[in-house]
Amino acid sequence: MARISFQGKPINTLGELPLVGNKAPDFKLVNGKLKEVSLAAFAGKRKLLNIVPSLDTPTCAASARMFNQKAASLANTVVLLVSADLPFAQCRFCTTEGLQNVMPLSTFRSNFADDYGVRLTDSILSGLTARAVVVIDEYDKIIYTELASELANEPDYEGALRALAMAG
């Protein structure tokens, strides 16, 4: 269990992020066509998982926009925008915002939040995901993780991008 905060009040996650150096846990997330997408779908590519509670919040929307902007210049890399939002809402958000360089994926019908240790277990946000970034190399090894200590704060964009640059 990791302890973070939301607006200064402590909240907990179910577990911990996977450790840097370990093989990334497989996942099955749901895309906008309600199809399951696994880690294997991105074999041979670097993966940046931008994990957010909900795209209907200003901080989550800001991180989606920022990683979308940065993703345009990343070779052999996919940026996966993971949230508990329904796939329909994710697609609507990305279309409305003009986000074409990120792939929205939902934890709907998935154990992802538990397997990656980001499911919030208490507070009014229980069941959503914590804000986190996980960078996975082309061999599915985890090379960077960040769990936002305050849920309302944006992630360390430069830290994640440095990890990607070092991997490539």
Side-chain angles (χ1 to χ4, degrees):
M1 163 174 82
R3 177 162 279 215
I4 59 174
S5 63
F6 176 56
Q7 298 175 335
K9 295 178 182 153
I11 58 176
N12 298 293
T13 65
L14 174 73
E16 303 280 338
L17 285 173
L19 295 174
V20 170
N22 285 357
K23 183 171 176 59
D26 194 12
F27 56 73
K28 286 192 171 106
L29 295 165
V30 180
N31 69 15
K33 295 181 181 178
L34 299 178
K35 302 282 187 206
E36 288 185 349
V37 178
S38 71
L39 182 62
F42 309 103
K45 294 188 178 277
R46 294 177 291 164
K47 289 122 335 236
L48 187 151
L49 282 56
N50 179 26
I51 305 163
V52 301
S54 173
L55 294 170
D56 281 331
T57 66
T59 306
C60 298
S63 75
R65 286 185 209 104
M66 179 62 79
F67 278 125
N68 179 72
Q69 177 187 352
K70 300 292 186 184
S73 64
L74 301 173
N76 195 38
T77 303
V78 295
V79 177
L80 308 178
L81 179 58
V82 180
S83 74
D85 297 300
L86 290 176
F88 314 112
Q90 291 177 325
C91 288
R92 184 176 56 249
F93 171 81
C94 288
T95 299
T96 301
E97 293 289 329
L99 306 183
Q100 299 176 345
N101 302 315
V102 297
M103 179 181 295
L105 296 170
S106 177
T107 60
F108 173 66
R109 297 189 323 231
S110 170
N111 293 327
F112 175 89
D114 293 347
D115 295 344
Y116 275 72
V118 293
R119 183 168 54 88
L120 298 175
T121 59
D122 48 24
S123 85
I124 60 171
L125 300 177
S126 179
L128 295 177
T129 56
R131 181 174 322 286
V133 175
V134 177
V135 178
I136 304 168
D137 73 9
E138 52 268 49
Y139 307 105
D140 294 339
K141 184 175 90 175
I142 296 175
I143 58 172
Y144 175 87
T145 63
E146 176 197 2
L147 177 65
S149 60
E150 166 57 50
L151 199 58
N153 292 346
E154 291 183 52
D156 177 7
Y157 302 110
E158 295 309 314
L161 295 171
R162 272 192 307 274
L164 279 170
M166 290 171 44

